[in-house]
């Protein structure tokens, strides 16, 4: 708070003249004292003294006779000095006292705060204003006790000039993008606080990251370049699948301090591809190398591939025969009675599977119903497991034989001269004749197992089987010339083992609208999207999910979860059998009596209606139930 | 390198002493020496002086052992130098023809 002494007053003694020594800037605040008592007593001889203020003047009159001396006290917004001492409490005064009265005014005040953003692209100005206040002395009639105070007169806002703000900006090196219009508004603003963006930099422009447009995603299914299969999109060989728009380097910007701001480096993501896709034009265009179904997989890094697709436009029946295909199969119609479909990849069926058999190494999707059908997804068949087992043994034996040959050749008592003349096969034959007699037998069993698998096999398995038989059975080894041939054969077997392991371990789903009198098996989830499952056997390596449907009759088994809307029938005559595995949890919204839960030898019959039933196997291996029973 | 084969027959027991290498160049002489044996019910192949073998030689030995076995003749290979015995072991010959057939030198 600022104080300004605006006036000095000397008080004149009784009957005499007064001396005025005013330093006043403000006439209104000047005080003139007139030395005459105003408090007249009734008795001429005994009269009280008085103090009066008139037009800013303090006039003291001494008492007469036995009259009292007057007192003054300090009120608001003034400072009173009596004989040079501050008046703090009511004080008796007389005409001889030197009384100075000062008005306490407050001065207008403002501050400017400037904040520059970290990237120097913005300067934020905060203008804080506080108005000053002006007071004047109030007139007081002659009184024995007087309180001197000043009355509020006016508010004065601080004046802030544009140039002052500009100076602050320049002091802080803000020279670019100054918004004078905003500053003008701020300085004219009659309020306490205002914040404005006083300067804005210019951001770099024109930077564009590379962009990959997957063209097959935007096309409609019935274009000439596509063969329509329901809503399924397939591509033909040579079709462009993706186009990469190259990155664009932008132009630099300027920050508020006038410094150049370089544009960021644009991201340059390549088109990532897997099988069935070729890159051309320096990797900027991806083209289908085979006809099939385009697949874009991955969340952060997206890989583009084309899976071979065989499309059956219509039903699988007498005109098509059974279908076996190493890739994916799409059927726009139904699979009719007694026909089968085998896919090395996935099966997508837009109609029904009626009295039909569907095998796929990958997903099976049936948009309609499965009636009296047998559906299997994922490499979980017993035959596949046997094949894997054989391949593992074979791999182990071949590696062992290869090591034996290597050790043998390093023996000082073993000559390799004849191997150079007749070929490495001579030694392989010797090893197979004696220590590794089992190898040809395993190979023959492997070939036989493959022939028994009534499924479309991975072609690699067939190739490996053929090569193994040619090179390691009968007199085949004698045809081997180089050691590398054996090494390559072992590598192929290893690859086949990995493929089989993948086939068996990969979880794939079966999705179907409605199931009746069918058997469904998969390594992943069985999802029934529609009315439910009637008298069917469902076995899932993952979960069985029938979120909106009913399950009546049949048997259900899953490793993770069984989630069903309604289980059993209100009449209680469709006994559903649920096989609860150790880590599996059953959740059903409505459960009717007659449902049987089994875990090992434990068997539990649901005898009353339940809502929100949960069932699981506890640590002790016993079935536990939780739900709302309704009698 | 050559292979010398010395045959001794006594009481229907023939002992063939081999001296040299048992390889592609000498297998014929081994085969001939064995084929000459008539009315013998036991054959001992003495490998004391066999320095090394190759796959063709081993193949021939195994054929001889099979032939003799099929004729009901007891056959043994004796005094097999350890290095050569190791080769036989790696190939699994003792497992096929029997441990007693292959007798290591100084064993």
């Amino acid at each position: 708070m600022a104080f300004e002494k605006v006036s000095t007053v000397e008080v004149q003694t009784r009957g005499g003249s007064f001396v005025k020594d005013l330093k006043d800037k403000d006439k209104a605040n000047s005080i003139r004292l007139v030395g005459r008592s105003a408090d007249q007593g009734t008795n001429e001889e005994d009269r009280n003294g008085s103090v009066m203020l008139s037009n800013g003047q303090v006039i003291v009159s001494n008492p007469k006779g036995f009259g009292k001396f007057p007192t003054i006290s300090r009120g608001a917004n003034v400072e009173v000095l009596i004989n040079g001492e501050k008046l703090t409490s009511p004080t008796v005064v007389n005409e001889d006292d030197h009384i100075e009265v000062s008005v306490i005014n407050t001065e207008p005040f403002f501050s400017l705060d400037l904040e520059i953003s970290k990237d120097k692209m913005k300067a934020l100005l905060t203008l804080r204003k506080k108005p000053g206040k002006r007071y004047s002395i109030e007139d007081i009639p002659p009184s024995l006790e007087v309180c001197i105070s000043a009355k509020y007169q006016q508010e004065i806002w601080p004046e802030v000039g544009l140039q002052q703000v500009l100076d602050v900006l320049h002091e802080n090196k803000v020279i670019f993008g100054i918004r004078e219009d905003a500053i003008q508004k701020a300085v004219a603003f009659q309020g306490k606080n205002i914040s404005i963006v006083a300067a804005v930099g210019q951001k770099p422009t024109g930077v564009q990251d590379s962009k990959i447009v997957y063209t097959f995603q935007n096309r409609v299914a019935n274009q000439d370049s596509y063969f329509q299969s329901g809503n399924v999109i397939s591509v033909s060989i040579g079709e462009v699948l993706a186009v990469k728009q190259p990155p664009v380097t932008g132009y630099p910007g300027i920050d508020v301090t006038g410094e150049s701001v370089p544009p960021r480096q644009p991201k340059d993501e390549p088109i990532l591809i897997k099988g069935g896709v070729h890159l051309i034009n320096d990797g900027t265009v991806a083209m289908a190398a085979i006809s099939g179904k385009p697949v874009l997989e991955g969340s952060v890094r997206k890989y583009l591939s084309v899976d071979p697709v065989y499309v059956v436009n219509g039903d699988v029946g007498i005109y098509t025969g059974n279908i076996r295909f190493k890739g994916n199969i799409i059927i726009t119609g139904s699979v009719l009675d007694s026909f089968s479909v085998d896919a090395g990849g996935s099966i997508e069926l837009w109609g029904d599977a009626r009295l039909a058999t569907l095998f796929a190494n990958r997903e099976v999707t049936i948009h309609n119903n499965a009636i009296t059908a047998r559906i299997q997804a994922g490499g979980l068949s017993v035959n596949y497991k046997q094949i894997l087992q054989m391949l593992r043994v074979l791999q182990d034996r071949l590696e062992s034989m290869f090591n034996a040959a290597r050790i043998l050749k390093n023996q000082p008592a073993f000559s390799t001269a004849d191997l150079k003349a007749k070929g490495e096969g001579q030694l392989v034959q010797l090893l197979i004749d004696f220590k590794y007699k089992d190898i040809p037998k395993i190979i023959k069993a492997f070939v036989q197992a493959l022939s028994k698998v009534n499924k479309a096999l991975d072609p690699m398995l067939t190739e490996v089987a053929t090569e193994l038989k040619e090179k390691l059975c009968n007199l085949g080894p004698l045809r081997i010339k180089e050691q590398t041939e054996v090494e390559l054969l072992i590598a192929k077997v290893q690859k086949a083992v990995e493929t089989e392991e993948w086939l068996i371990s990969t979880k794939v789903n079966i999705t179907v609208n409605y199931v009746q009198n069918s058997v469904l098996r998969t390594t992943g989830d069985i999802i029934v999207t529609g009315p439910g499952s009637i008298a069917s056997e469902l076995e899932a390596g993952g979960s069985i999910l029938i979120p909106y449907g009913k399950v009546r009759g049949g048997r259900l088994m899953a490793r993770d979860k069984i989630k069903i809307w309604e289980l059993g029938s209100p009449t209680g005559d469709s006994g559903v059998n649920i096989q609860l595995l150790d880590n599996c949890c059953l959740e059903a919204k409505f459960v009717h009596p007659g449902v049987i839960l089994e875990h090992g030898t434990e068997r539990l019959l649901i005898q009353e209606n339940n809502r929100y039933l949960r069932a699981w196997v506890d640590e002790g291996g016993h079935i536990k139930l939780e739900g709302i029973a309704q009698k | 390198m050559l292979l010398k084969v010395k045959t001794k027959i006594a009481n229907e027991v023939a002992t063939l002493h081999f001296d040299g290498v048992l390889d592609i160049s000498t297998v014929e002489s081994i085969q001939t020496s064995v084929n000459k044996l008539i009315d013998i019910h036991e054959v001992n192949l003495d490998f004391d002086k066999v320095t090394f073998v190759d796959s063709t030689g081993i193949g021939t030995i195994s054929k001889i052992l099979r032939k003799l076995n099929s004729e009901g003749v007891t056959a043994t290979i004796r005094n097999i130098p350890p290095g050569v015995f190791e080769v036989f072991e790696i190939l699994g010959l003792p497992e096929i023809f029997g441990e007693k057939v292959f007798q290591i030198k100084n064993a």
Side-chain angles (χ1 to χ4, degrees):
Chain A
M1 187 176 286
F3 296 87
E4 186 184 2
K5 187 187 282 184
V6 293
S7 62
T8 304
V9 179
E10 284 188 3
V11 181
Q12 191 187 22
T13 56
R14 188 198 300 206
S17 62
F18 62 86
V19 178
K20 186 172 73 170
D21 179 14
L22 296 173
K23 291 198 292 179
D24 54 344
K25 290 178 183 174
D26 185 351
K27 288 284 181 187
N29 292 330
S30 66
I31 301 165
R32 183 175 293 274
L33 303 183
V34 179
R36 181 167 296 280
S37 169
D39 186 15
Q40 300 292 324
T42 49
N43 187 339
E44 194 64 26
E45 294 299 316
D46 299 321
R47 194 170 57 185
N48 290 337
S50 69
V51 176
M52 69 175 286
L53 272 89
S54 175
N55 294 323
Q57 294 181 351
V58 179
I59 301 162
V60 179
S61 297
N62 284 345
K64 286 185 178 174
F66 291 101
K68 290 179 181 174
F69 277 86
T71 60
I72 61 171
S73 59
R74 189 177 72 90
N77 307 312
V78 293
E79 186 178 74
V80 181
L81 296 176
I82 301 174
N83 301 323
E85 283 185 14
K86 267 189 187 177
L87 176 66
T88 53
S89 56
T91 303
V92 174
V93 292
N94 62 55
E95 291 171 354
D96 295 328
D97 287 328
H98 177 78
I99 301 171
E100 292 177 82
V101 178
S102 303
V103 177
I104 302 171
N105 289 322
T106 58
E107 293 305 311
F109 170 81
F110 73 90
S111 70
L112 288 167
D113 291 325
L114 189 68
E115 194 180 333
I116 299 171
S117 62
K118 275 186 182 176
D119 62 0
K120 295 185 181 175
M121 294 304 283
K122 205 177 270 185
L124 189 72
L125 182 80
T126 303
L127 177 55
R128 291 188 179 86
K129 291 180 179 178
K130 192 170 181 184
K133 287 181 180 173
R134 292 286 182 264
Y135 302 92
S136 62
I137 304 291
E138 290 181 288
D139 282 356
I140 301 171
S143 302
L144 182 63
E145 293 170 356
V146 166
C147 179
I148 303 170
S149 62
K151 186 182 175 185
Y152 171 74
Q153 204 170 37
Q154 72 176 122
E155 188 175 65
I156 299 169
W157 284 93
E159 286 181 11
V160 186
L162 172 67
Q163 192 55 48
Q164 283 173 288
V165 177
L166 293 177
D167 289 345
V168 170
L169 292 175
H170 291 162
E171 280 165 20
N172 287 281
K173 297 178 181 173
V174 175
I175 56 167
F176 181 82
I178 293 171
R179 298 173 64 208
E180 286 195 11
D181 54 339
I183 297 170
Q184 288 283 19
K185 280 181 188 171
V187 297
F189 174 71
Q190 287 210 341
K192 286 188 175 175
N193 297 321
I194 185 169
S195 290
I196 56 154
V197 176
V200 181
Q202 184 180 302
K203 289 184 176 174
T205 54
V207 181
Q208 278 181 20
D209 295 334
S210 68
K211 188 181 172 189
I212 299 168
V213 179
Y214 297 97
T215 51
F216 66 89
Q217 288 180 326
N218 303 325
R219 299 194 190 170
V220 290
N222 59 359
Q223 278 185 335
D224 291 344
S225 56
Y226 288 83
F227 36 100
Q228 180 170 349
S229 313
N231 292 325
V232 178
I233 291 175
S234 297
V235 292
S236 303
I237 187 167
E239 273 191 47
V240 172
L241 304 175
V243 177
K244 178 180 154 181
Q245 292 168 357
V248 178
T249 311
Y251 304 99
I254 305 173
D255 68 21
V256 293
T257 66
E259 294 285 322
S260 174
V261 180
R264 69 172 172 82
Q265 278 297 107
K267 288 180 189 168
D268 189 5
E269 298 289 341
I271 302 176
L272 301 171
I273 60 166
K274 283 186 174 175
V277 180
H278 275 323
L279 287 176
I280 55 171
N281 292 359
D282 294 329
T284 58
V285 176
M287 191 183 74
I290 55 170
S291 295
K293 182 182 176 185
V295 178
L296 191 60
E297 56 190 342
S299 51
V300 180
R301 293 166 72 82
K302 291 189 181 298
Y303 287 86
L304 179 65
S305 60
V306 176
D307 284 354
V309 172
Y310 178 74
V311 179
V312 179
N313 281 308
D315 296 336
V316 171
I318 197 157
Y319 295 108
T320 62
N322 294 328
I323 305 288
R324 288 182 82 175
F325 185 61
K326 65 179 180 181
N328 305 318
I329 300 174
I330 295 164
I331 301 154
T332 62
S334 296
V335 182
L336 304 180
D337 292 11
S338 306
F339 285 90
S340 69
V341 179
D342 265 354
S346 64
I347 296 174
E348 186 162 15
L349 174 61
W350 285 83
D352 299 321
R354 294 196 291 259
L355 260 171
T357 307
L358 275 64
F359 286 111
N361 280 329
R362 287 164 74 176
E363 299 79 24
V364 173
T365 306
I366 301 172
H367 294 279
N368 267 7
N369 309 322
I371 313 289
T372 323
R374 183 181 167 80
I375 300 157
Q376 187 167 300
L380 44 60
S381 73
V382 175
N383 286 332
Y384 260 71
K385 285 180 181 166
Q386 277 177 352
I387 288 168
L388 176 63
Q389 187 61 26
M390 286 175 190
L391 276 171
R392 280 181 181 149
V393 173
L394 206 50
Q395 183 189 357
D396 184 51
R397 295 300 287 155
L398 289 175
E399 281 171 355
S400 172
M401 184 181 77
F402 184 76
N403 281 335
R406 203 164 39 83
I407 292 165
L408 207 51
K409 285 195 277 186
N410 288 328
Q411 292 297 315
F414 186 77
S415 165
T416 57
D418 63 336
L419 301 182
K420 283 166 191 156
K422 291 181 170 180
E424 291 279 335
Q426 186 80 11
L427 180 56
V428 176
Q429 183 73 65
L430 210 55
L431 286 160
I432 284 179
D433 280 348
F434 299 118
K435 195 159 189 172
Y436 297 94
K437 291 170 84 157
D438 56 336
I439 287 179
K441 289 178 188 168
I442 300 168
I443 292 170
K444 282 173 186 166
F446 171 57
V447 172
Q448 201 175 6
L450 285 187
S451 67
K452 278 184 184 170
V453 178
N454 185 28
K455 289 187 71 189
L457 287 166
D458 187 326
M460 189 177 69
L461 280 179
T462 321
E463 279 171 29
V464 168
T466 308
E467 202 171 338
L468 282 168
K469 197 176 170 186
E470 280 175 2
K471 289 192 167 166
L472 299 178
C473 291
N474 303 323
L475 295 176
L478 296 178
R479 287 192 282 270
I480 295 172
K481 297 288 175 203
E482 304 287 337
Q483 182 183 309
T484 48
E485 288 177 59
V486 182
E487 284 178 72
L488 280 173
L489 201 53
I490 293 170
K492 282 182 182 176
V493 171
Q494 190 180 346
K495 180 79 180 165
V497 167
E498 285 167 9
T499 306
E500 286 298 291
E501 281 172 346
W502 181 84
L503 275 174
I504 286 170
S505 64
T506 301
K507 291 194 168 187
V508 295
N509 300 344
I510 295 175
T511 307
V512 60
N513 179 56
Y514 171 72
V515 190
Q516 186 180 314
N517 295 328
S518 297
V519 178
L520 276 65
R521 287 201 173 88
T522 182
T523 53
D525 300 340
I526 293 174
I527 304 156
V528 180
T529 55
S533 166
I534 307 294
S536 294
E537 195 176 308
L538 312 182
E539 200 177 303
S543 300
I544 295 172
L545 306 169
I546 309 178
Y548 312 110
K550 299 167 182 175
V551 175
R552 290 185 179 163
R555 192 177 70 88
L556 276 64
M557 187 169 86
R559 296 218 167 271
D560 297 339
K561 186 189 269 189
I562 300 174
K563 195 171 183 179
I564 294 159
W565 178 265
E566 187 178 339
L567 195 54
S569 71
T571 56
D573 55 2
S574 63
V576 185
N577 187 312
I578 306 281
Q579 301 277 321
L580 268 183
L581 299 181
D582 280 346
N583 296 314
C584 180
C585 174
L586 166 72
E587 286 178 19
K589 192 162 185 187
F590 301 102
V591 180
H592 299 291
V595 172
I596 297 164
L597 307 180
E598 283 186 354
H599 174 71
T601 54
E602 191 179 358
R603 200 162 186 269
L604 203 149
L605 175 68
I606 303 288
Q607 292 177 318
E608 53 195 2
N609 285 307
N610 276 271
R611 292 183 69 199
Y612 300 105
L613 182 89
R614 283 186 77 243
W616 70 97
V617 178
D618 69 5
E619 287 178 356
H622 298 293
I623 298 172
K624 290 283 167 191
L625 288 179
E626 189 181 274
I628 305 165
Q630 291 179 322
K631 289 185 179 175
Chain B
M1 188 154 311
L2 294 172
L3 177 75
K4 289 177 187 168
V5 184
K6 196 173 171 183
T7 306
K8 283 182 184 171
I9 300 172
N11 300 326
E12 295 180 346
V13 176
T15 303
L16 281 70
H17 296 271
F18 295 97
D19 182 358
V21 297
L22 199 65
D23 71 358
I24 190 168
S25 61
T26 61
V27 288
E28 210 177 317
S29 61
I30 305 167
Q31 193 74 56
T32 309
S33 304
V34 173
N35 287 344
K36 283 179 183 172
L37 300 173
I38 301 165
D39 294 332
I40 299 293
H41 71 266
E42 187 178 331
V43 174
N44 298 317
L45 306 176
D46 191 332
F47 269 40
D48 186 25
K49 290 178 179 170
V50 172
T51 49
F52 61 81
V53 292
D54 72 358
S55 63
T56 313
I58 295 164
T60 304
I61 290 294
S62 70
K63 274 182 198 168
I64 289 169
L65 290 174
R66 279 201 182 103
K67 182 176 175 284
L68 293 172
N69 285 344
S70 69
E71 291 169 356
V73 178
T74 305
T76 53
I77 304 175
R78 295 175 177 176
N79 295 321
I80 307 168
V84 175
F85 184 82
E86 202 170 341
V87 170
F88 289 161
E89 268 212 317
I90 292 167
L91 283 165
L93 294 183
E95 290 166 38
I96 301 291
F97 295 103
E99 302 285 341
K100 288 180 182 173
V101 176
F102 294 86
Q103 295 169 12
I104 192 168
K105 194 175 177 179
N106 299 326

